Amino acid sequence: MSSQESGRQGRVTRQKRQQLIVDHVLAQGDASVAELTELTGVSLMTVHRDIAELADRGILRKYHGGVSAQPSTVFESSSDFRLHAHSGEKNALARAALRFVTPGMSLMLDDSTTALALARQLPQVGPLTVVTNYRLITEELRAAEDIRLIGVGGEYSRTHDSWIGLSALEMVSSFSVDLTLVSTSAMTGAMTYHQEQEMVALKRAMCEAGSVSVLMMDHSKVGRSALHRLEPVDSFDHVVLTGPVDEDVLAEMRKLTDVRVAGEAGGRQRPRSAADSGREPGAAGAAGAAGAAGDTAGAEKS
């Protein structure tokens, strides 16, 4: 075997081994180094190198003696991990949030897997204009004939599987859409949070771009905090949750904004919508797309 063939075989073996590690940790949430050594059948030093490489790529998080895919107050879990977490609740949130969407609207969706669940249901509502920085949403909607899809560009983040950074922030800020739908990592009765300052800035800009903003949160994120404050709960026009949610926390939220628990009726209504802003649904998207034409040339995907 030539040295070139041997090197190629080594790379393939490393890729398969690292994928095995990722699949195992995503399924279990975390794993010890000893556990991964037994799983892969390689040396402790090789596993440490694999873990270091996966952590550098933002896929897993190292801690003493092991590795985790779980989020913490300072670490956001990868898109791969979030795709497999609370999928049933995300689908319930998507069905509830879909009620805010009407044909002709322009929407902005963040890089949350909850927004991805909603994106899968949008073709049944079209025509729509959808602006997003999440690669998986562009993949989901690129073949939908009634969806005008605008991709936000920037620096690609492997952890989030999305485009972020200054270029993305400037592009998002150039739009004016009818409806922004986002999720985040944690919230209390009065405040929302995220682990990463860069993501906070981008999500804030997305909310500012929308005439109406909707926050979608599964119950596992409620009653928690993270390193950076995002926005007060009362800055969102609507909050959609899945239960169970602590009654005191729910009551605190309902003093601040319209809160809806997926599958339940109720929630205090706030008299604000695209129509209240003096625009018909879809007008914001047309204005935003026209105003940002120079900045977004080449970003729209078919």
Side-chain angles (χ1 to χ4, degrees):
M1 180 184 295
S2 69
S3 59
Q4 184 177 6
E5 290 172 338
S6 176
R8 186 182 302 113
Q9 185 178 44
R11 286 194 297 274
V12 171
T13 302
R14 185 178 74 252
Q15 289 169 358
K16 289 182 177 179
R17 185 178 66 246
Q18 290 184 357
Q19 188 61 55
L20 181 63
I21 291 173
V22 170
D23 290 344
H24 181 77
V25 177
L26 290 180
Q28 301 298 321
D30 53 34
S32 68
V33 173
E35 182 181 345
L36 295 176
T37 301
E38 183 178 353
L39 175 72
T40 58
V42 297
S43 70
L44 193 66
M45 184 176 296
T46 299
V47 168
H48 275 294
R49 284 199 298 266
D50 286 338
I51 289 174
E53 184 175 333
L54 292 168
D56 288 343
R57 289 161 55 191
I59 298 173
L60 301 175
R61 172 170 57 95
K62 290 192 301 182
Y63 61 85
H64 182 68
V67 64
S68 176
Q70 301 273 9
S72 71
T73 58
V74 296
F75 178 85
E76 167 72 321
S77 54
S78 70
S79 174
D80 286 342
F81 179 80
R82 290 183 283 119
L83 281 170
H84 297 92
H86 306 286
S87 57
E89 294 187 54
K90 291 169 184 175
N91 290 332
L93 289 170
R95 289 191 296 269
L98 193 64
R99 299 172 186 172
F100 297 105
V101 182
T102 58
M105 273 188 164
S106 56
L107 316 178
M108 186 169 290
L109 305 180
D110 69 352
D111 60 359
S112 64
T113 50
T114 306
L116 175 62
L118 174 63
R120 290 173 176 147
Q121 301 192 38
L122 293 180
Q124 64 185 286
V125 182
L128 296 167
T129 295
V130 177
V131 183
T132 187
N133 68 322
Y134 195 14
R135 184 188 67 82
L136 292 181
I137 291 180
T138 64
E139 288 296 315
E140 185 68 32
L141 297 179
R142 65 190 180 92
E145 293 183 358
D146 282 343
I147 304 291
R148 181 189 183 200
L149 185 59
I150 301 176
V152 173
E155 178 184 351
Y156 178 69
S157 165
R158 293 183 179 86
T159 300
H160 303 286
D161 201 2
S162 64
W163 287 271
I164 61 175
L166 182 60
S167 298
L169 183 62
E170 290 177 347
M171 188 170 177
V172 165
S173 299
S174 72
F175 286 100
S176 175
V177 298
D178 296 313
L179 183 64
T180 293
L181 301 107
V182 301
S183 186
T184 190
S185 304
M187 72 180 302
T188 60
M191 182 60 64
T192 61
Y193 302 86
H194 198 278
Q195 297 94 332
E196 300 175 33
Q197 189 172 10
E198 191 169 38
M199 301 306 296
V200 166
L202 194 57
K203 288 177 186 286
R204 282 177 179 170
M206 287 183 166
C207 291
E208 291 172 3
S211 295
V212 176
S213 60
V214 178
L215 176 68
M216 305 174 291
M217 301 285 280
D218 71 71
H219 83 278
S220 70
K221 300 177 178 180
V222 180
R224 297 172 46 198
S225 63
L227 183 60
H228 298 286
R229 294 186 177 191
L230 175 56
E231 291 281 10
V233 169
D234 62 5
S235 70
F236 295 94
D237 299 290
H238 308 282
V239 175
V240 183
L241 308 171
T242 58
V245 179
D246 182 85
E247 288 297 327
D248 291 336
V249 174
L250 195 58
E252 183 180 5
M253 290 184 196
R254 282 180 166 153
K255 291 178 182 178
L256 301 173
T257 191
D258 170 44
V259 180
R260 309 182 185 198
V261 179
E264 297 181 8
R268 182 174 66 83
Q269 301 293 324
R270 284 181 55 172
R272 185 181 176 194
S273 65
D276 293 319
S277 67
R279 293 181 292 195
E280 292 297 322
D295 296 328
T296 62
E300 186 173 342
K301 304 183 187 294
S302 58

